[in-house]
Amino acid sequence: MLGGNEIRKSKIRTPKKTFLSQVDYEKSWEQLDEAIKQIYQKNASTLSFEELYRKTYNLVLRKQGKFLYDNIYNSIKSHLENDVQPRIIQFMEDDQIDKFVLLQKMSTELNDHLLSMRMISDFAMYLDRVYVKEAHLPLIYDTGLQLFRDYVILPNDNKVGKKVIKLLLQSIDEIRSNKIVDKFLIKNIIFMFESLPDEAGSYYDTYVEPDFLEDSRLYFEKVSSELLLEQNGSLYISNIIRLIEEEKNRTALYLPLSTLPKLVELMDKALIATKIETVLAFENEGLSKWVAEESEFELNSLYKLIGRIDNEYHILRTHLKRLLISFGEALDDSTNKAIADGPETPKKKATTHFVTIWIESILNQRGVYERILQNCFNRDVNICKTIDASFALILNANKRISEYLSLYIDHFIKQSLKEKSENESEEILNKVVAIFSFIHDKDVFEKYYKNHLAKRLLNPKSNSYDIERNLISKFKSVAGETFVSKLSSMFRDINISKEESKQFQEQLQQEDVLPLNNNKKVSMDVNVLTHLIWPLPLTETNVRFPEILFNLKEQYAAFYAQKHQNRRFNWAPNFGTVDMRMTYGRRTYEVNMPTYSAIIILALFSTDYKAQYTYEQIHQELQIPENDLKRQLLSISVAPKTRLLVKRPMSKEINTEDIFQINEKFQSPQIKIKVLTVSTASKLENDQQRSSTLTEVNKDRKFETDAAIVRIMKARKTLTHNNLMNETIKQLANRFSPPPSLIKQRIESLLEKEYMERDSEERNLYHYLA
Amino acid sequence: MTENERFEQLCYACRIGDVEQVEILVSSGIDVNRLDEWDYSPLILASLCGHLNVVKLLLKIGAICDRDTFQGERCIYGALNDEIRNILLGYDISKSVNESQPFSAHIHRLISARTAVNTKDMLLNNSIPVHRWYIRSQQVGISIDRSHVTLNYDSKIVGQLIKFVYLSPQFHVNESDLKPLVQCSEEFGIASFQQLCNEYLELSAQNDIKKLSKLRHKIQFNQSLHARDLLKEFVETHVLGAKIELGPSTDISSVKEQLFKLESCPDIILRLGNAFYPAHRSMMVRSGYFDLMLQSSFAEASRYNEFTDVIFHRDQIDPKEDIQVVSLTEEIADQRLLEILLRYVYYDETTVPANLGLETLYMSDQLLVDKLKTMAAIAITNDWKSTGYSLYEILEAAWVTRVHRLETFVAHEFAKHFDHYVTQPEFKEAVMESANRIQARQAVDSIELIDDIRFYLTRVYSIDFEKPYHPEVDYEKWEIQQMNSDNVIQYNRCLQEIENLLVECGFDA
């Protein structure tokens, strides 16, 4: 080396002082080694920092860094190997010693070592700063930690380490079973392992954490399996939530932050992911019971727990769907049961009653799920979707859902409405509309709804216009403008008719040409219905009207022709009613009856009340269609409360030879009498009626499909077959789901009619023909 | 509510612009120049979020926006709008803050931060720990005879005064406190603080924030100069001037007792040969060596470490038994060097006489005083000729103490007087040594010293390897010209000599 003495030779003047005097390295080290031993003996306060530092400094300055470093290294190593390790092993092998004493001992040993290392690295600071840095070695302090790991913990296949880890895990298990354990000690031991370095991270990361996690996994598995044996979901859920919370709080006291997420993942897997399916399926205290009882705590907890493992809630959704579908499958049976259990109902209302209860069950169920979604599931989008889809599935599985729903609405408006407050009925309407939105074949619904609506609108006593309009605007928001256009037109017809009837009445007043009947004034309301819109059999008839009605009819026709030109005008006496006063004996009754009945009575008996006619005669005379005629005659001669006529022979059948005359003995407790036509109340169609309805629907569907295809082609001009199919399905989705075969068939027909043509080369391509 | 919670609330109030809340919180005594965990100060937050009124308030109560610091620059740069930016710029105090005074920062830290070594030995009003020696050095009129002193003022007032004396850069007071502060500072003879409070009283009536802030910084700056002067005086009289030479008839324990009982309340005794100096641990820790020593559990610090109180009790210390004299061997220092050290740690005196440069360098390297080390190196390079050190001595010191500046300085000198040195046997040894150093570091190719000399030779002979970039130049001709110029010939000759030397030393390159 380049010594100070040699350099000084070149100086011109005498050296003023020695920069680097000679030092006896070995002797210096002996003194330092002795000091290190004193430090281990905890006698540091007798040592002079100044002296130790100076010795280190002098050695380093004289390039003895490596010499010093190696010596310190060996000194620490031999201390650990010869003093510390045997001491610990001796302890470890003593079975008499309590594990906490042992852990405490271990913790103390390391703490002492760390303290000693701190002091050694204090006085060896100059070594750290200069030599260690240049030689890229670990600092003295870190070296001390490595040595502790290599010569105390790891020797003999990690003997000491394994033992301590085992005791540590035992202690943690004891903490878990609520035994009193010095958590500070546990924390110290873990901290000790954390501070020992290892290739990738710390000794803790390599050896302790995996064992801890495995041990924890076993613990969670054990706890959760035991809980499952109870077959009680509520118990499971509440216990699991508490366990997770407690485990988190516990481990926060002694576990490194980096382990916590792993532990949480482990808990989620062991306690939730692998178990929750079983819990959901429990019959007692499982999902079905919680939903049925709307158990908020359980459902909300479930939502939170599953959210930890899957933010799309697949398991929960599958089970909810299953639950709803089985509800749907059992719905017919449960409805029948409810009817059987409930008060008896008149037989003829049975079908309507069935539908009402069926739909109400759906509405109730819907309400249950709405509340659960709101209160327990935080309106989770995915769960909402699943529930909606499941409802759609149940509903559309019922082929007659459109009819059911329309009938329910009809029943609701006619019967139940009066009993409900505005808010209640609004709520029901909303639910009804929600169900409507799930229905795929909206065109079928429209068909039924139109029928029912027509009947309601034509009933002069119906006071439900507001609610009808409200409903229609709700339908509109779900299904669009086109869906409700016909329904709206029906309303318009009724409104215009009312207005015009009023004008007609006023006009008659002014002209003083009021037709009189027995010197009494007569008035008339006419509903003018647009033929194509109203779903009624508005066929032309040759019915012979009695004079009084004939006159009114002619006058109205004149009035109408004067207001509207170029309109054909047919009378539909098969609708409407007539109010008249009839006097039997001394009593006069106010009788409301269908137009046909009035025609029969006015035409045949008003001039001669003793007259007698056979059925055949009546039919010949009045030209009323036979079906209608029979029904009317039944109403006024057979129906018990309204026997205005007498039929001979008295039977429930009408035969051509039957004779009818005024029933002079007619009596009724009420003054006001209403003649009901047989079967005016809405009820379910029979199979024949339904098949005819469906045929009509199918006919309409053809037109609608044609229209859709033409609309699309007109806009796009050229389109491939597949695209056209898709577009068509999309356009019609709001009305019904067209089967591909139908679209294909319509395309063929349109090709034939030359609305469009195939591309000459690509057979799959269509062109629109203007 | 803890201080931290209050500070968090203050930050939040600054974000949302809640002036009242800021006012309330600050009046409860929060340091408005603290930083949150993302290094935002309340002032940065308020100006970033555009709350003009909060910004004004914060500046008024002492928030600092110094353009020359990262925080200040950030504050101005991040201000939401020009109005706020202009206000901040109006408060720009960079002109008055003197960053070259690390010692004032140290003194402030003595009371503001938790220090590893507890050096306070007196408690005012049972709540404000201070250093007797510093109180005395600053000529504060408080008796320093006892460990516990209760003054006739509210602790808040006393705290403000002490902060000022300890050169705290912060100053925010409630107006209601100003009058007692004036009185208090008058009683204890802190004229500058009295003046500051008086002016504040006057100016806050006029509500001239800008002027107030400028005034505050001027006074605080002057105070730090003043404190330095007082410290200098104190050191000369009570530290350097109070040394005791051990005579043949005196024994060490009586010297210890004698020094410990001095009015200057020393708590550490330094020994150099036969000379004993009284000194103060609070200042000695500015040397890394003393800091380590006093934090450790070795003999020098053990007695003091036994005190767990906020202060240590002088009266419980038996100087004969408890005080360990800290010896500095003459190898490290003589009295001149020790004085350089003490002047530096007490008041940042960094003038190093050139002829003590190397000695100071070695000392400060050993005692871990980096700034003094740099100053010593600068002293040597500035005036090498008068130092009397040989270049070889300097070079070795450079290597040993790892001061690169000196290495390059020596290489430059070698290059300047190449012919003079190249023949010296020591030069060859130096080259060898440099090569060995490199092998130790396992860098294979070059010898650092030689590289440096080659580099400086190009400077000395103005060699430019870059061809002039000009279309008119005939490069061949230029090159020949270059090759034949006197400088290049000289330069090449030097290079050849280096090559020869290297071969002689057994290196191929």
Side-chain angles (χ1 to χ4, degrees), chain A residues 2 7 10-11 13 16-17 45 47-50 53-54 57-58 61 63 119 122 125-126 130, chain B residues 289 292-293 297 299-300 327 329 331 355 359 365-366 368 388-389 392-393 396 400 402 426 433:
Chain A
L2 183 68
I7 286 182
S10 69
K11 282 189 138 184
R13 60 190 171 88
K16 50 183 174 173
K17 93 177 204 147
S45 61
L47 300 169
S48 157
F49 174 84
E50 186 267 329
Y53 182 89
R54 179 156 44 83
Y57 172 79
N58 281 331
L61 208 62
K63 311 216 152 177
M119 298 182 78
D122 271 355
M125 178 59 79
Y126 200 81
V130 178
Chain B
Y289 167 80
L292 259 177
M293 171 195 286
S297 321
E300 287 89 341
S327 297
T329 55
E331 198 181 304
N355 63 344
E359 288 82 351
D365 178 52
Q366 181 178 356
L368 312 176
Y389 304 123
Y392 303 112
E393 279 174 318
E396 186 178 30
V400 167
R402 306 165 310 285
E426 294 92 340
E433 173 69 11

Side-chain angles (χ1 to χ4, degrees), chain B residues 310-321:
Chain B
V310 282
I311 60 170
F312 74 88
H313 298 271
R314 288 190 76 83
D315 45 359
Q316 290 172 19
I317 286 179
D318 172 7
K320 285 181 186 164
E321 288 294 319

Side-chain angles (χ1 to χ4, degrees), chain A residues 547-558:
Chain A
E547 191 193 349
I548 175 87
L549 291 181
F550 184 80
N551 287 344
L552 273 172
K553 192 174 87 139
E554 289 303 308
Q555 269 167 320
Y556 190 84

Side-chain angles (χ1 to χ4, degrees), chain B residues 87-284:
Chain B
I87 290 216
L88 290 172
L89 288 171
Y91 273 91
D92 192 345
I93 51 154
S94 53
K95 290 164 215 112
S96 58
V97 167
N98 191 340
E99 277 298 308
S100 67
Q101 302 265 322
F103 100 100
S104 60
H106 176 75
I107 285 176
H108 171 55
R109 252 199 314 281
L110 285 178
I111 54 154
S112 65
R114 266 187 71 90
T115 44
V117 182
N118 185 10
T119 55
K120 289 153 217 157
D121 55 2
M122 183 161 122
L123 200 58
L124 298 179
N125 282 17
N126 263 327
S127 57
I128 305 156
V130 292
H131 305 79
R132 297 190 203 191
W133 75 267
Y134 186 71
I135 294 294
R136 194 194 150 91
S137 79
Q138 296 304 302
Q139 301 173 352
V140 182
I142 297 174
S143 157
I144 55 165
D145 297 340
R146 282 166 296 124
S147 292
H148 289 83
V149 172
T150 303
L151 302 175
N152 246 342
Y153 293 90
D154 190 73
S155 296
K156 207 162 97 189
I157 304 295
V158 178
Q160 287 279 5
L161 180 76
I162 292 300
K163 268 190 175 174
F164 181 79
V165 171
Y166 273 85
L167 308 179
S168 160
Q170 287 119 32
F171 176 71
H172 38 85
V173 286
N174 293 339
E175 283 184 24
S176 58
D177 291 342
L178 281 168
K179 276 185 183 146
L181 276 173
V182 169
Q183 219 181 336
C184 175
S185 41
E186 188 179 2
E187 181 179 339
F188 299 121
I190 312 298
S192 49
F193 194 51
Q194 188 187 350
Q195 184 203 348
L196 175 62
C197 294
N198 264 329
E199 302 245 5
Y200 232 76
L201 206 55
E202 217 167 283
L203 286 173
S204 65
Q206 300 164 18
N207 207 13
D208 189 339
I209 310 173
K210 226 170 178 176
K211 217 167 162 186
L212 267 176
S213 171
K214 271 190 183 150
L215 172 82
R216 172 158 62 85
H217 289 291
K218 199 179 121 224
I219 291 184
Q220 278 175 339
F221 178 65
N222 287 340
Q223 178 64 19
S224 91
L225 292 184
H226 179 58
R228 195 167 177 246
D229 286 343
L230 290 175
L231 275 173
K232 187 174 174 180
E233 195 186 319
F234 180 85
V235 168
E236 296 305 327
T237 322
H238 295 286
V239 179
L240 304 181
K243 73 172 178 199
I244 295 180
E245 296 273 359
L246 189 64
S249 56
T250 39
D251 70 306
I252 294 182
S253 11
S254 67
V255 169
K256 285 203 272 190
E257 188 161 20
Q258 206 182 329
L259 287 175
F260 189 75
K261 298 234 162 106
L262 285 175
E263 288 169 88
S264 57
C265 296
D267 56 8
I268 184 170
I269 294 170
L270 307 179
R271 176 180 185 174
L272 187 70
N274 280 331
F276 291 73
Y277 291 83
H280 304 93
R281 293 179 301 139
S282 40
M283 296 314 275
M284 293 314 293

Side-chain angles (χ1 to χ4, degrees), chain A residues 607-630:
Chain A
T607 46
D608 177 6
Y609 68 90
K610 299 264 191 210
Q612 295 186 355
Y613 297 92
T614 62
Y615 170 80
E616 192 54 39
Q617 283 173 315
I618 296 174
H619 180 53
Q620 288 301 325
E621 187 76 14
L622 301 177
Q623 291 295 319
I624 295 174
E626 275 199 70
N627 261 350
D628 287 324
L629 183 56
K630 278 186 184 164

Side-chain angles (χ1 to χ4, degrees), chain A residues 28-39 47 52:
Chain A
S28 294
W29 166 245
E30 268 171 39
Q31 287 161 341
L32 286 176
D33 196 27
E34 180 52 32
I36 291 176
K37 289 199 171 72
Q38 290 298 318
I39 287 174
L47 300 169
L52 299 175

Side-chain angles (χ1 to χ4, degrees), chain A residues 153-216:
Chain A
I153 305 281
L154 282 180
N156 297 326
D157 187 26
N158 197 14
K159 186 176 173 189
V160 171
K162 276 182 182 165
K163 174 85 178 177
V164 175
I165 292 171
K166 194 177 141 206
L167 296 177
L168 182 71
L169 295 181
Q170 278 175 10
S171 311
I172 290 178
D173 278 345
E174 287 183 12
I175 295 178
R176 281 177 176 148
S177 47
N178 289 326
K179 286 196 187 135
I180 294 172
V181 172
D182 180 1
K183 297 187 185 69
F184 193 68
L185 173 62
I186 304 301
K187 188 186 168 78
N188 269 348
I189 294 285
I190 288 179
F191 177 74
M192 166 184 99
F193 284 136
E194 263 190 294
S195 54
L196 297 180
D198 198 72
E199 276 150 31
S202 69
Y203 181 89
Y204 172 84
D205 296 329
T206 317
Y207 297 94
V208 186
E209 191 182 65
D211 283 9
F212 169 75
L213 289 177
E214 178 57 18
D215 184 67
S216 304

Side-chain angles (χ1 to χ4, degrees), chain A residues 57 63 198 261 329 347 385 455 511:
Chain A
Y57 172 79
K63 311 216 152 177
D198 198 72
E329 281 165 354
K347 208 175 175 188
K385 269 189 200 155
K455 285 182 188 159
E511 290 171 8

